[in-house]
CSV table of all heavy atoms in Angstrom, one decimal:
chain,number,residue,atom,x,y,z
A,4,ALA,N,2.5,1.5,-3.3
A,4,ALA,CA,1.5,1.9,-4.4
A,4,ALA,C,1.4,3.5,-4.3
A,4,ALA,O,1.3,4.1,-5.4
A,4,ALA,CB,0.2,1.3,-4.1
A,5,MET,N,1.3,4.0,-3.1
A,5,MET,CA,1.3,5.5,-3.0
A,5,MET,C,2.5,6.1,-3.6
A,5,MET,O,2.4,7.1,-4.3
A,5,MET,CB,1.1,5.9,-1.5
A,5,MET,CG,1.3,7.4,-1.3
A,5,MET,SD,1.2,7.8,0.5
A,5,MET,CE,2.8,7.2,1.0
A,6,ILE,N,3.7,5.6,-3.2
A,6,ILE,CA,5.0,6.2,-3.7
A,6,ILE,C,5.0,6.2,-5.2
A,6,ILE,O,5.3,7.2,-5.8
A,6,ILE,CB,6.2,5.4,-3.1
A,6,ILE,CG1,6.2,5.6,-1.6
A,6,ILE,CG2,7.5,5.8,-3.8
A,6,ILE,CD1,7.2,4.7,-0.8
A,7,VAL,N,4.7,5.0,-5.8
A,7,VAL,CA,4.8,5.0,-7.3
A,7,VAL,C,3.7,5.8,-7.9
A,7,VAL,O,3.9,6.6,-8.8
A,7,VAL,CB,4.7,3.5,-7.8
A,7,VAL,CG1,4.6,3.4,-9.3
A,7,VAL,CG2,5.9,2.7,-7.3
A,8,GLY,N,2.5,5.7,-7.4
A,8,GLY,CA,1.4,6.5,-7.9
A,8,GLY,C,1.5,8.0,-7.8
A,8,GLY,O,1.4,8.7,-8.8
A,9,ALA,N,1.9,8.5,-6.6
A,9,ALA,CA,2.1,9.9,-6.4
A,9,ALA,C,3.3,10.4,-7.3
A,9,ALA,O,3.2,11.5,-7.8
A,9,ALA,CB,2.3,10.2,-4.9
A,10,GLY,N,4.3,9.6,-7.4
A,10,GLY,CA,5.4,10.0,-8.2
A,10,GLY,C,5.0,10.1,-9.7
A,10,GLY,O,5.4,11.1,-10.4
A,11,LEU,N,4.2,9.2,-10.2
A,11,LEU,CA,3.8,9.2,-11.6
A,11,LEU,C,2.9,10.4,-11.8
A,11,LEU,O,3.0,11.1,-12.8
A,11,LEU,CB,3.0,7.9,-11.8
A,11,LEU,CG,3.2,7.2,-13.1
A,11,LEU,CD1,4.6,7.0,-13.5
A,11,LEU,CD2,2.4,5.9,-13.2
A,12,VAL,N,1.9,10.6,-10.9
A,12,VAL,CA,1.0,11.7,-11.1
A,12,VAL,C,1.7,13.1,-11.2
A,12,VAL,O,1.5,13.9,-12.0
A,12,VAL,CB,0.0,11.8,-9.9
A,12,VAL,CG1,-0.8,13.1,-9.9
A,12,VAL,CG2,-1.0,10.6,-10.0
A,13,THR,N,2.7,13.2,-10.2
A,13,THR,CA,3.4,14.5,-10.2
A,13,THR,C,4.3,14.7,-11.4
A,13,THR,O,4.4,15.7,-12.0
A,13,THR,CB,4.3,14.5,-8.9
A,13,THR,OG1,3.6,14.1,-7.8
A,13,THR,CG2,4.9,15.9,-8.6
A,14,PHE,N,4.9,13.6,-11.9
A,14,PHE,CA,5.8,13.7,-13.0
A,14,PHE,C,4.9,14.0,-14.3
A,14,PHE,O,5.3,14.8,-15.1
A,14,PHE,CB,6.6,12.4,-13.3
A,14,PHE,CG,7.4,12.5,-14.5
A,14,PHE,CD1,8.6,13.2,-14.4
A,14,PHE,CD2,7.0,12.0,-15.7
A,14,PHE,CE1,9.5,13.3,-15.5
A,14,PHE,CE2,7.8,12.1,-16.8
A,14,PHE,CZ,9.1,12.8,-16.7
A,15,LEU,N,3.8,13.4,-14.4
A,15,LEU,CA,2.9,13.6,-15.6
A,15,LEU,C,2.5,15.1,-15.7
A,15,LEU,O,2.3,15.6,-16.8
A,15,LEU,CB,1.7,12.7,-15.6
A,15,LEU,CG,2.0,11.2,-15.9
A,15,LEU,CD1,0.8,10.3,-15.8
A,15,LEU,CD2,2.6,11.1,-17.3
A,16,MET,N,2.3,15.7,-14.5
A,16,MET,CA,1.9,17.1,-14.5
A,16,MET,C,3.1,18.0,-15.1
A,16,MET,O,2.8,18.9,-15.8
A,16,MET,CB,1.6,17.6,-13.1
A,16,MET,CG,0.4,16.9,-12.4
A,16,MET,SD,-1.1,17.5,-13.2
A,16,MET,CE,-2.3,16.4,-12.4
A,17,ARG,N,4.3,17.6,-14.7
A,17,ARG,CA,5.4,18.4,-15.1
A,17,ARG,C,5.7,18.1,-16.6
A,17,ARG,O,6.1,19.0,-17.3
A,17,ARG,CB,6.7,17.9,-14.4
A,17,ARG,CG,6.7,18.3,-12.9
A,17,ARG,CD,8.0,17.8,-12.2
A,17,ARG,NE,8.2,18.5,-11.0
A,17,ARG,CZ,8.3,17.9,-9.8
A,17,ARG,NH1,8.2,16.6,-9.7
A,17,ARG,NH2,8.4,18.6,-8.7
A,18,PHE,N,5.4,16.9,-17.1
A,18,PHE,CA,5.7,16.5,-18.4
A,18,PHE,C,4.6,17.0,-19.4
A,18,PHE,O,4.8,17.0,-20.6
A,18,PHE,CB,5.8,15.0,-18.5
A,18,PHE,CG,6.4,14.4,-19.8
A,18,PHE,CD1,7.6,14.8,-20.2
A,18,PHE,CD2,5.7,13.5,-20.5
A,18,PHE,CE1,8.1,14.3,-21.4
A,18,PHE,CE2,6.2,13.0,-21.7
A,18,PHE,CZ,7.4,13.4,-22.2
A,19,SER,N,3.4,17.3,-18.8
A,19,SER,CA,2.2,17.5,-19.6
A,19,SER,C,2.4,18.3,-20.9
A,19,SER,O,2.3,17.8,-22.0
A,19,SER,CB,1.1,18.2,-18.8
A,19,SER,OG,1.6,19.4,-18.3
A,20,PHE,N,2.9,19.6,-20.8
A,20,PHE,CA,3.0,20.4,-21.9
A,20,PHE,C,4.4,20.3,-22.6
A,20,PHE,O,4.5,20.4,-23.8
A,20,PHE,CB,2.7,21.9,-21.6
A,20,PHE,CG,1.2,22.1,-21.5
A,20,PHE,CD1,0.5,21.9,-20.3
A,20,PHE,CD2,0.5,22.4,-22.7
A,20,PHE,CE1,-0.9,22.1,-20.3
A,20,PHE,CE2,-0.9,22.6,-22.6
A,20,PHE,CZ,-1.5,22.4,-21.4
A,21,LEU,N,5.4,20.0,-21.8
A,21,LEU,CA,6.7,19.8,-22.4
A,21,LEU,C,6.7,18.6,-23.3
A,21,LEU,O,7.4,18.6,-24.3
A,21,LEU,CB,7.7,19.6,-21.2
A,21,LEU,CG,8.3,20.9,-20.6
A,21,LEU,CD1,9.1,20.5,-19.3
A,21,LEU,CD2,9.2,21.6,-21.5
A,22,GLY,N,6.0,17.6,-22.9
A,22,GLY,CA,6.1,16.3,-23.6
A,22,GLY,C,5.1,16.2,-24.8
A,22,GLY,O,5.4,15.5,-25.7
A,23,THR,N,4.0,16.9,-24.7
A,23,THR,CA,2.9,16.6,-25.7
A,23,THR,C,2.4,17.8,-26.4
A,23,THR,O,2.8,18.1,-27.5
A,23,THR,CB,1.8,15.8,-25.0
A,23,THR,OG1,1.3,16.6,-23.9
A,23,THR,CG2,2.2,14.5,-24.5
A,24,VAL,N,1.5,18.5,-25.8
A,24,VAL,CA,0.6,19.4,-26.5
A,24,VAL,C,1.4,20.7,-26.9
A,24,VAL,O,2.4,21.1,-26.3
A,24,VAL,CB,-0.5,19.9,-25.6
A,24,VAL,CG1,-1.6,20.6,-26.3
A,24,VAL,CG2,-1.1,18.7,-24.8
A,25,ASN,N,1.0,21.3,-28.0
A,25,ASN,CA,1.5,22.6,-28.4
A,25,ASN,C,1.1,23.6,-27.4
A,25,ASN,O,-0.1,23.8,-27.2
A,25,ASN,CB,0.9,22.8,-29.8
A,25,ASN,CG,1.3,24.2,-30.3
A,25,ASN,OD1,2.0,25.0,-29.6
A,25,ASN,ND2,0.7,24.6,-31.4
A,26,PRO,N,2.0,24.4,-26.8
A,26,PRO,CA,1.6,25.3,-25.7
A,26,PRO,C,0.7,26.4,-26.2
A,26,PRO,O,-0.1,27.0,-25.5
A,26,PRO,CB,3.0,25.9,-25.3
A,26,PRO,CG,3.9,25.6,-26.4
A,26,PRO,CD,3.4,24.4,-27.1
A,27,HIS,N,0.8,26.7,-27.5
A,27,HIS,CA,-0.1,27.8,-28.0
A,27,HIS,C,-1.5,27.4,-28.1
A,27,HIS,O,-2.4,28.2,-28.3
A,27,HIS,CB,0.4,28.2,-29.4
A,27,HIS,CG,1.9,28.7,-29.3
A,27,HIS,ND1,2.3,29.7,-28.6
A,27,HIS,CD2,3.0,28.1,-29.8
A,27,HIS,CE1,3.6,29.8,-28.7
A,27,HIS,NE2,4.1,28.8,-29.4
A,28,ALA,N,-1.8,26.0,-27.9
A,28,ALA,CA,-3.1,25.5,-27.9
A,28,ALA,C,-3.8,25.7,-26.6
A,28,ALA,O,-5.0,25.4,-26.4
A,28,ALA,CB,-3.2,24.1,-28.4
A,29,LEU,N,-3.0,26.1,-25.6
A,29,LEU,CA,-3.5,26.3,-24.2
A,29,LEU,C,-4.5,27.4,-24.1
A,29,LEU,O,-4.1,28.6,-24.4
A,29,LEU,CB,-2.4,26.5,-23.2
A,29,LEU,CG,-2.7,26.5,-21.8
A,29,LEU,CD1,-3.2,25.2,-21.3
A,29,LEU,CD2,-1.5,26.9,-21.0
A,30,PRO,N,-5.8,27.2,-23.8
A,30,PRO,CA,-6.7,28.3,-23.8
A,30,PRO,C,-6.4,29.3,-22.7
A,30,PRO,O,-5.9,28.9,-21.6
A,30,PRO,CB,-8.1,27.6,-23.5
A,30,PRO,CG,-7.9,26.2,-23.5
A,30,PRO,CD,-6.4,25.9,-23.4
A,31,GLU,N,-6.6,30.6,-22.9
A,31,GLU,CA,-6.3,31.6,-22.0
A,31,GLU,C,-7.1,31.4,-20.7
A,31,GLU,O,-6.5,31.7,-19.6
A,31,GLU,CB,-6.7,33.0,-22.6
A,31,GLU,CG,-6.3,34.2,-21.8
A,31,GLU,CD,-4.9,34.2,-21.3
A,31,GLU,OE1,-4.0,33.9,-22.1
A,31,GLU,OE2,-4.7,34.5,-20.1
A,32,ARG,N,-8.3,31.0,-20.8
A,32,ARG,CA,-9.1,30.8,-19.6
A,32,ARG,C,-8.5,29.7,-18.7
A,32,ARG,O,-8.6,29.9,-17.4
A,32,ARG,CB,-10.6,30.4,-20.0
A,32,ARG,CG,-11.3,31.5,-20.6
A,32,ARG,CD,-12.6,31.0,-21.2
A,32,ARG,NE,-13.6,30.6,-20.2
A,32,ARG,CZ,-14.5,31.4,-19.7
A,32,ARG,NH1,-14.6,32.6,-20.1
A,32,ARG,NH2,-15.3,31.0,-18.7
A,33,PHE,N,-8.0,28.7,-19.3
A,33,PHE,CA,-7.4,27.6,-18.5
A,33,PHE,C,-6.1,28.1,-17.8
A,33,PHE,O,-5.9,27.8,-16.6
A,33,PHE,CB,-7.1,26.4,-19.4
A,33,PHE,CG,-6.5,25.2,-18.8
A,33,PHE,CD1,-7.2,24.5,-17.9
A,33,PHE,CD2,-5.2,24.9,-19.0
A,33,PHE,CE1,-6.7,23.4,-17.2
A,33,PHE,CE2,-4.6,23.7,-18.4
A,33,PHE,CZ,-5.4,23.0,-17.5
A,34,ARG,N,-5.4,28.9,-18.5
A,34,ARG,CA,-4.1,29.5,-18.0
A,34,ARG,C,-4.5,30.3,-16.8
A,34,ARG,O,-3.8,30.3,-15.7
A,34,ARG,CB,-3.5,30.3,-19.0
A,34,ARG,CG,-2.0,30.4,-18.9
A,34,ARG,CD,-1.4,31.3,-20.0
A,34,ARG,NE,-1.1,30.6,-21.2
A,34,ARG,CZ,0.2,30.2,-21.5
A,34,ARG,NH1,1.1,30.6,-20.7
A,34,ARG,NH2,0.4,29.6,-22.6
A,35,ALA,N,-5.6,31.2,-16.9
A,35,ALA,CA,-6.0,32.0,-15.8
A,35,ALA,C,-6.4,31.2,-14.6
A,35,ALA,O,-6.1,31.6,-13.5
A,35,ALA,CB,-7.1,32.9,-16.3
A,36,ALA,N,-7.1,30.1,-14.9
A,36,ALA,CA,-7.7,29.3,-13.8
A,36,ALA,C,-6.5,28.7,-13.0
A,36,ALA,O,-6.6,28.5,-11.7
A,36,ALA,CB,-8.6,28.3,-14.3
A,37,LEU,N,-5.5,28.3,-13.7
A,37,LEU,CA,-4.3,27.6,-13.0
A,37,LEU,C,-3.7,28.5,-11.9
A,37,LEU,O,-3.1,28.0,-11.0
A,37,LEU,CB,-3.3,27.2,-14.0
A,37,LEU,CG,-3.6,25.9,-14.8
A,37,LEU,CD1,-2.5,25.7,-15.8
A,37,LEU,CD2,-3.8,24.7,-13.9
A,38,ARG,N,-3.8,29.8,-12.2
A,38,ARG,CA,-3.2,30.8,-11.2
A,38,ARG,C,-3.9,30.7,-9.9
A,38,ARG,O,-3.3,31.1,-8.9
A,38,ARG,CB,-3.5,32.2,-11.8
A,38,ARG,CG,-2.5,33.3,-11.4
A,38,ARG,CD,-2.6,34.5,-12.3
A,38,ARG,NE,-4.0,35.1,-12.3
A,38,ARG,CZ,-4.4,36.0,-11.4
A,38,ARG,NH1,-3.6,36.4,-10.5
A,38,ARG,NH2,-5.6,36.5,-11.5
A,39,PHE,N,-5.1,30.2,-9.8
A,39,PHE,CA,-5.9,30.2,-8.6
A,39,PHE,C,-5.6,28.9,-7.8
A,39,PHE,O,-6.1,28.8,-6.7
A,39,PHE,CB,-7.4,30.3,-8.8
A,39,PHE,CG,-7.7,31.6,-9.6
A,39,PHE,CD1,-8.7,31.5,-10.6
A,39,PHE,CD2,-7.1,32.8,-9.4
A,39,PHE,CE1,-9.0,32.6,-11.4
A,39,PHE,CE2,-7.3,33.9,-10.2
A,39,PHE,CZ,-8.3,33.8,-11.2
Side-chain angles (χ1 to χ4, degrees):
Chain A
M5 171 185 72
I6 290 167
V7 173
L11 218 53
V12 165
T13 314
F14 181 79
L15 286 177
M16 295 289 173
R17 292 179 162 121
F18 191 60
S19 56
F20 281 89
L21 277 169
T23 55
V24 194
N25 171 8
H27 305 294
L29 185 65
E31 183 52 43
R32 292 169 67 91
F33 182 66
R34 207 181 272 257
L37 284 177
R38 203 165 63 85
F39 306 139

